[in-house]
Amino acid sequence: MAEEDIAAALFTDDWGFKFEAYEPSVWAAKILDDAGVDVIVKSDHPVINSNELMYEAAKASHYDLPDHKAIASVTSVPSKRMGLENSIGTLEVGLDGDLIVWNRDSR
């Protein structure tokens, strides 16, 4: 996948609720990242509410995806893959975005 520049969009640990989620691994994000694949953590709104994407990223981090990669999996990686990196996905002057500041680890 990495050689072909193919990203992987996956659920963190929600499984069994539909065909494409029958045989997942909670380690999939880490395994794919170690192989050089861009990882996108996704929701399946309304099954996994899109408002909980940061929680899904925190779970990916819990399963050993590095913190900065977990955050990128719901911000810069999807924006890049959708061709929107010039307007969203990172904190840069001139881009649109929202900022959340926690006073502790979000996990």
Side-chain angles (χ1 to χ4, degrees):
M1 291 177 68
E3 291 175 5
E4 298 295 325
D5 196 31
I6 298 171
L10 48 88
F11 303 112
T12 304
D13 65 355
D14 295 305
W15 59 273
F17 63 93
K18 62 182 183 175
F19 181 76
E20 65 266 28
Y22 281 165
E23 296 184 30
S25 168
V26 295
W27 308 105
K30 168 75 170 143
I31 292 166
L32 290 163
D33 180 64
D34 286 349
V37 176
D38 280 349
V39 173
I40 299 168
V41 172
K42 65 181 185 142
S43 75
D44 192 22
H45 191 80
V47 177
I48 302 169
N49 194 307
S50 60
N51 292 333
E52 298 179 7
L53 275 175
M54 288 307 296
Y55 177 62
E56 294 299 314
K59 289 191 290 184
S61 176
H62 172 78
Y63 293 116
D64 293 335
L65 186 65
D67 289 345
H68 70 284
K69 296 282 187 91
I71 292 170
S73 75
V74 296
T75 57
S76 60
V77 175
S79 70
K80 174 185 165 193
R81 292 305 182 140
M82 291 186 293
L84 300 173
E85 70 273 18
N86 293 324
S87 60
I88 61 172
T90 57
L91 294 175
E92 297 180 47
V93 173
L95 299 188
D96 295 331
D98 298 311
L99 177 66
I100 300 171
V101 179
W102 286 281
N103 62 359
R104 61 182 173 82
D105 190 320
S106 63
R107 289 176 279 191

